Amino acid sequence: MTLQLAPVAPAVSPALVEVDTKESGTRLRRVIGSARKASGLVLVLVLWQLGARGWLGPTTPAPSEVIEAGWELIRTGELWRHLAASSQRVAIGLSIGISIGLVLGAAAGLFRAAEDLVNGPLQALRMLPTLALVPVFIIWFGIGDPFKIALIIVAPVFPIYLNVLAGIRGVDRRLVEAAESLGLNRFELTTKIILPGALPQILVGLRQALGIGWLTLVVAEMQTTPVGLGFLMNDAKEFLRTDQIFLVLVIYAVLGLLTDTFVRLLERRFLAWRTGFEGQ
């Protein structure tokens, strides 16, 4: 008589089960977090769809109509042309304006003499509304792209300057004194203690600057321009195309949201050391 033994299943390591459980839990938390973050936008879209042509006004198009208008412009290639022109203006203007704000804010934060020199003029200029600068800039630069880029350059300088200055001056003096006692020179003190300590505030200023840049683009492109999202909105207004008007507004909002998300990713990357309260 022959005995047949049943195959013994290989033992599963408890450590592997624990790792798999942790990974599943992490994925689930990420999905829940993403859904929670998107819930506000979904709610806005639902309310917009329900209220279109109704309590939001008889001329308010529904999101479905806005999507159709966008698809129509995509098929003709017109949307990409206007979007590329606007994106180029914003990229040039923001890069220059943010650089100026960083340099001035760092100089004023690190040196009292620089603060005395630049703080007064910048605070005075900060009080000037953007619309008040439009006719002056048109006189100086004409109605072409230089005027629009110059207007965008000015806008982000002030939030970046104020936040960089506040971030540097907000660094704990005891950290600076401890670093000096360890023999760090001025350059090492700035790059290893002061700027990292000011980085959270600087990134807040960057978020504000990027948002203001897109808002200023709206003002700049509402003037005479042959191409750009502002031109597309003005053209739609002339022909009473409210669906295209809302399309441009949605594009502005999405672009602003994307740039804000980019800064949030930078915060997650460079501020991983921060242990502040993040809500419950």
Side-chain angles (χ1 to χ4, degrees), residues 166-259:
I168 292 175
R169 294 297 174 85
V171 175
D172 194 335
R173 179 183 292 274
R174 289 171 294 182
L175 290 176
V176 177
E177 293 174 349
E180 290 176 340
S181 67
L182 293 174
L184 271 67
N185 57 38
R186 183 75 182 187
F187 178 77
E188 292 173 333
L189 180 65
T190 302
T191 57
K192 296 182 179 181
I193 301 298
I194 297 177
L195 291 183
L199 189 57
Q201 190 75 34
I202 294 174
L203 290 176
V204 171
L206 183 60
R207 294 177 68 181
Q208 295 175 346
L210 293 175
I212 291 174
W214 286 110
L215 293 175
T216 308
L217 175 69
V218 178
V219 176
E221 290 191 336
M222 291 300 286
Q223 312 305 316
T224 54
T225 181
V227 63
L229 294 174
F231 169 80
L232 184 60
M233 179 179 286
N234 275 333
D235 190 60
K237 181 183 67 175
E238 295 295 328
F239 293 96
L240 300 179
R241 290 292 305 270
T242 56
D243 53 350
Q244 290 188 4
I245 293 175
F246 274 80
L247 172 66
V248 176
L249 293 176
V250 169
I251 291 174
Y252 279 131
V254 170
L255 291 174
L257 180 61
L258 290 176
T259 52

Side-chain angles (χ1 to χ4, degrees), residues 49-70:
Q49 181 70 40
L50 295 175
R53 308 295 182 184
W55 53 270
L56 285 178
T59 59
T60 302
S64 55
E65 298 177 61
V66 174
I67 293 174
E68 291 178 5

